[in-house]
Amino acid sequence: MASQGDGPSTSSHMMKTTKRGRPFLKDTLDLFATLIVSLQLGPHKQFFKTFPHSFTTDEACQNLASLKFSQSNRGPDPREPSRVITTTTTTTFSMTRDMAKAMSQHFMDARLIENATDPSSNLFKDRGVYQLTPKGLHVLERFIAKNGINSDHLQPVFQSQPICIKLLHLERRSADDEIIVTQSVITALFRRFVGRTPNYPPPASDKPMDAFQRYNERAKGIALSDATDKATASSQKPLTHKFCFAAVSALEWLCDFTSVVGREEAAEMAAQFVRFGLIALVSDRRKNNDSAIIFTVRGSAPGGNSPVQQIGEFRCTAKAVYRITEEGQRLAHWNSSDSPGSSTANLHDDRSSIHGSVDGTSESGKKNQSADAKIHRRISMAEKMNVAYDNGERKVAKESNTDRLRYILEEPGLRSLFREFLRGNFCEENLSFWLDVQDFKRKFNITSSAAAVGPAAGRPGARNTPGQAAMEKHHETLIHTAFVIYNNYLAPSSQCELNIDHGLRNELVKYLEEVVTSLTGKKFSGKVEPEHGTVMYERIQMHVFRLMATDSVPKFIKTSKFLAMRNWVEDFDPTENDIHMLTSGPSSPPGLNTVEETGGAYITISQHASEREHRQHLAAKASENGGS
């Protein structure tokens, strides 16, 4: 049960559950991340082996028994906009040990945690040791960034374990949390499932792959192999099927790399692949007494030559083997003369898949047009990143360079490469300052904390609530951060002094003095308060952004490294509109939204994992060049 408090008023409610009995996915993800932030992950020993960055069943149950999440938001006072006020909301989760174990089982079903001693186990046991999965770390990273949480104690985990780089989210109905199945959603899911090229495992070598390499290989798409049928009376020669995979492996992959929760939901999505004619059963060599779980989905079929059928059936057995059909290969662009990342190929396919609904729910022309517009906007952004894009698409140079810079700042791999370029041109401090101010503004506007609290903390008359204590500590951190930014970038002869002309520097110093004097009535003495910092740093940040867009970006996009990286980045536009935060809820309360929910899919990117992979990519290239 969760209860919320804001000042003296409180309210409580039970978490909503689906027809399968699990909590809604958003609640599951938020509660999981809150629990992990509250834990002190450390080494735990079991079966004569020590597992780092882990927690036990008892630790999880104790924290879930009384878990408080406090969030403070800063904003203008509605009655006096010049004043900044802070609103603190505290959410308390309380549950029995049995409920806590059941909730932890949902975390396992969603592939957020795994048994450290036996990762293949799907049961949350009474005396177990557990670690975060790559998917769990991705969710945790997004939650921390969204809610302004101090995560210093979790940095060793992010640095030492694989993280899911790109997680595909399938949008759900607000009423029952079921995935909204449309042809465009299944298309997006299938393309992510099979990868940009067939993922045949590399041949075995003398040097075994480490955990990061093994995970990165899996992330490319479902592992494929060739399956051979035995010769029959009608066929003298054995028949070889290409692009095959085990049914159980498909369920595991869907749970690990998408927002699918549990094998049941994964099996339903796989059955949709069958219904859409994208995969087909090759063989199921189970014995007669072996159990067989078969998932069936139904929908309308357009008829004619369409590969879409009314019924799709997926066998969840250990011996079942499926293959990618010719229709699946076509949809994945494996056989296309264009590259898998070709903008025009993707645009054509996505547009054709959106018209009408295969499940019999009609969509208005207006919705189709808006979907087309969104896809076209994404593609045109990718085309603008190309130096040689068509003159007809070109607008004012200042605008296109601004769009390019936003794209670079959003894509972690490109941002890393851009930093290297600026370092080579002796102006890296521009990007460093922009990112530091961006982080400072985010921390100024919102801060959160999660902690397990004992009964004493909840007694009336307690000196400090967790929210108040978190806010005080956060304010101290902000003051320190504002001071560091000033000393690093703006103070005369500072370590990373911004390269701006003398006139602007004098104007900024004068502006700083005016702001501080108007707010405090005192002259600026070198001390910067957070309230002053957000105002003055934002103006300088805008100037630095324009400087990078007009001076650095045009040179950067002509470099060979950028052109190579642009092909390495996947073909979607990671802008704020397209990559949603995990903690964002429906735009309107369930039941009050008169617009039909049409569904969709989107990807979130892990900054930690993407930058790590980019560093490894550059290191591998350097070693190749050094060896040649």
Side-chain angles (χ1 to χ4, degrees):
M1 187 173 78
S3 64
Q4 287 191 326
D6 183 6
S9 62
T10 60
S11 63
S12 63
H13 64 275
M14 301 292 291
M15 282 192 294
K16 293 173 67 176
T17 57
T18 67
K19 64 182 181 182
R20 294 187 177 95
R22 66 164 178 82
F24 276 31
L25 180 59
K26 179 186 181 303
D27 292 337
T28 301
L29 298 180
D30 287 350
L31 185 55
F32 155 75
T34 303
L35 169 65
I36 299 303
V37 171
S38 74
L39 290 169
Q40 291 296 327
L41 301 179
H44 291 85
K45 184 176 286 188
Q46 196 168 45
F47 302 134
F48 308 105
K49 187 176 179 181
T50 300
F51 299 95
H53 313 307
S54 58
F55 62 93
T56 65
T57 302
D58 288 340
E59 289 170 344
C61 291
Q62 287 168 6
N63 280 27
L64 286 172
S66 183
L67 189 60
K68 285 199 173 184
F69 176 75
S70 298
Q71 186 172 89
S72 297
N73 292 276
R74 293 171 180 262
D77 187 343
R79 291 169 294 187
E80 191 179 336
S82 60
R83 288 181 63 240
V84 175
I85 60 172
T86 301
T87 305
T88 300
T89 304
T90 299
T91 304
T92 304
F93 300 93
S94 58
M95 57 188 75
T96 64
R97 181 179 176 86
D98 286 343
M99 288 174 62
K101 286 171 60 180
M103 195 68 228
S104 299
Q105 180 64 56
H106 293 310
F107 298 158
M108 288 199 77
D109 292 341
R111 289 295 196 280
L112 304 173
I113 60 174
E114 64 185 5
N115 190 312
T117 59
D118 182 13
S120 63
S121 172
N122 292 318
L123 293 176
F124 188 81
K125 300 177 180 177
D126 204 28
R127 296 180 181 178
V129 174
Y130 298 90
Q131 291 178 312
L132 303 188
T133 64
K135 179 179 176 180
L137 284 169
H138 182 111
V139 170
L140 180 63
E141 179 186 333
R142 303 291 298 181
F143 182 84
I144 287 171
K146 173 68 174 176
N147 291 287
I149 294 174
N150 184 346
S151 59
D152 291 346
H153 63 297
L154 293 170
Q155 291 310 306
V157 193
F158 288 117
Q159 293 166 4
S160 62
Q161 293 181 203
I163 306 173
C164 180
I165 299 179
K166 296 180 176 71
L167 185 64
L168 180 68
H169 304 267
L170 307 177
E171 293 183 348
R172 297 169 180 268
R173 287 197 296 262
S174 56
D176 57 10
D177 208 45
E178 291 293 311
I179 293 172
I180 305 172
V181 176
T182 64
Q183 187 166 353
S184 56
V185 168
I186 297 302
T187 297
L189 178 62
F190 181 75
R191 284 178 177 166
R192 180 70 185 92
F193 174 70
V194 298
R196 305 171 80 185
T197 56
N199 186 22
Y200 279 83
S205 63
D206 297 335
K207 185 180 179 182
M209 291 190 292
D210 59 28
F212 292 93
Q213 292 170 325
R214 288 195 302 271
Y215 186 78
N216 288 340
E217 282 299 316
R218 283 194 70 214
K220 293 177 181 177
I222 185 69
L224 301 173
S225 61
D226 294 343
T228 304
D229 281 346
K230 295 179 181 179
T232 61
S234 60
S235 175
Q236 299 271 330
K237 294 181 180 179
L239 181 62
T240 300
H241 299 278
K242 294 182 69 65
F243 312 128
C244 298
F245 58 89
V248 174
S249 299
L251 303 184
E252 297 295 321
W253 195 96
L254 288 169
C255 289
D256 287 340
F257 294 95
T258 74
S259 64
V260 163
V261 181
R263 287 190 172 192
E264 282 190 27
E265 201 167 68
E268 288 182 9
M269 294 300 104
Q272 295 288 356
F273 291 164
V274 175
R275 186 170 82 83
F276 280 84
L278 306 175
I279 63 175
L281 181 68
V282 172
S283 63
D284 184 6
R285 294 173 182 162
R286 60 186 172 85
K287 297 178 181 177
N288 292 332
N289 57 351
D290 287 348
S291 62
I293 301 175
I294 301 174
F295 275 82
T296 304
V297 295
R298 290 176 171 81
S300 59
N305 296 326
S306 171
V308 181
Q309 303 172 348
Q310 285 187 325
I311 296 176
E313 185 179 277
F314 189 79
R315 296 170 175 261
C316 306
T317 65
K319 299 290 186 179
V321 174
Y322 283 81
R323 64 180 175 85
I324 311 295
T325 64
E326 289 185 6
E327 172 65 15
Q329 296 170 45
R330 184 196 68 78
L331 195 64
H333 298 308
W334 285 356
N335 301 327
S336 174
S337 57
D338 299 323
S339 67
S342 168
S343 299
T344 53
N346 285 340
L347 179 60
H348 171 75
D349 248 34
D350 282 342
R351 279 183 171 175
S352 61
S353 70
I354 284 174
H355 289 296
S357 170
V358 295
D359 292 321
T361 55
S362 62
E363 298 181 18
S364 67
K366 185 177 180 181
K367 288 177 187 172
N368 285 332
Q369 288 173 5
S370 66
D372 275 357
K374 188 172 186 180
I375 293 169
H376 180 68
R377 189 185 64 75
R378 292 187 185 185
I379 300 304
S380 65
M381 170 62 78
E383 288 171 349
K384 283 183 180 180
M385 293 306 297
N386 190 338
V387 179
Y389 70 89
D390 182 55
N391 287 332
E393 290 287 328
R394 193 173 302 190
K395 297 183 180 179
V396 182
K398 183 178 178 182
E399 291 178 352
S400 62
N401 285 331
T402 297
D403 289 339
R404 288 170 175 169
L405 181 56
R406 288 199 185 101
Y407 183 91
I408 290 166
L409 293 173
E410 286 288 343
E411 167 56 46
L414 286 173
R415 188 171 64 239
S416 251
L417 196 63
F418 189 49
R419 181 184 289 278
E420 290 178 22
F421 171 80
L422 294 177
R423 187 181 301 136
N425 286 270
F426 306 103
C427 54
E428 182 187 2
E429 65 278 356
N430 290 337
L431 178 61
S432 298
F433 174 78
W434 191 92
L435 292 172
D436 284 352
V437 172
Q438 198 72 358
D439 186 57
F440 177 76
K441 290 193 299 184
R442 178 180 57 80
K443 289 177 178 177
F444 176 81
N445 290 327
I446 185 171
T447 179
S448 306
S449 67
V453 293
R459 287 201 306 260
R463 181 170 297 179
N464 269 354
T465 66
Q468 290 170 334
M471 195 60 228
E472 289 174 6
K473 183 177 180 181
H474 185 67
H475 190 77
E476 293 175 5
T477 304
L478 283 175
I479 293 174
H480 175 72
T481 304
F483 185 72
V484 167
I485 291 176
Y486 177 78
N487 274 351
N488 282 350
Y489 302 104
L490 299 173
S493 303
S494 55
Q495 183 179 0
C496 303
E497 189 174 358
L498 288 179
N499 185 20
I500 52 181
D501 63 64
H502 183 69
L504 179 58
R505 179 172 302 282
N506 288 340
E507 183 185 347
L508 292 175
V509 171
K510 183 180 178 183
Y511 172 74
L512 184 148
E513 290 175 346
E514 288 176 355
V515 169
V516 176
T517 303
S518 64
L519 289 174
T520 64
K522 301 176 183 177
K523 288 188 176 182
F524 175 61
S525 58
K527 183 178 180 182
V528 180
E529 291 290 335
E531 289 80 1
H532 314 153
T534 53
V535 178
M536 63 184 180
Y537 291 159
E538 193 163 23
R539 183 184 173 204
I540 307 171
Q541 187 192 35
M542 289 172 61
H543 166 79
V544 169
F545 183 91
R546 287 194 298 267
L547 189 67
M548 289 191 293
T550 56
D551 184 55
S552 301
V553 168
K555 300 172 185 174
F556 172 64
I557 61 177
K558 294 177 182 177
T559 63
S560 58
K561 285 186 177 181
F562 167 78
L563 296 175
M565 172 61 74
R566 182 169 51 82
N567 295 329
W568 179 71
V569 175
E570 281 198 346
D571 56 335
F572 64 91
D573 174 20
T575 61
E576 289 182 3
N577 292 333
D578 300 328
I579 297 185
H580 309 297
M581 294 296 184
L582 295 182
T583 49
S584 62
S587 56
S588 60
L592 298 181
N593 193 349
T594 56
V595 180
E596 181 185 356
E597 294 176 301
T598 57
Y602 60 91
I603 286 180
T604 53
I605 307 173
S606 164
Q607 183 174 332
H608 281 95
S610 186
E611 290 183 348
R612 178 197 292 155
E613 187 182 56
H614 178 53
R615 288 194 299 269
Q616 292 170 346
H617 181 74
L618 293 177
K621 270 201 162 186
S623 63
E624 286 176 11
N625 295 336
S628 59

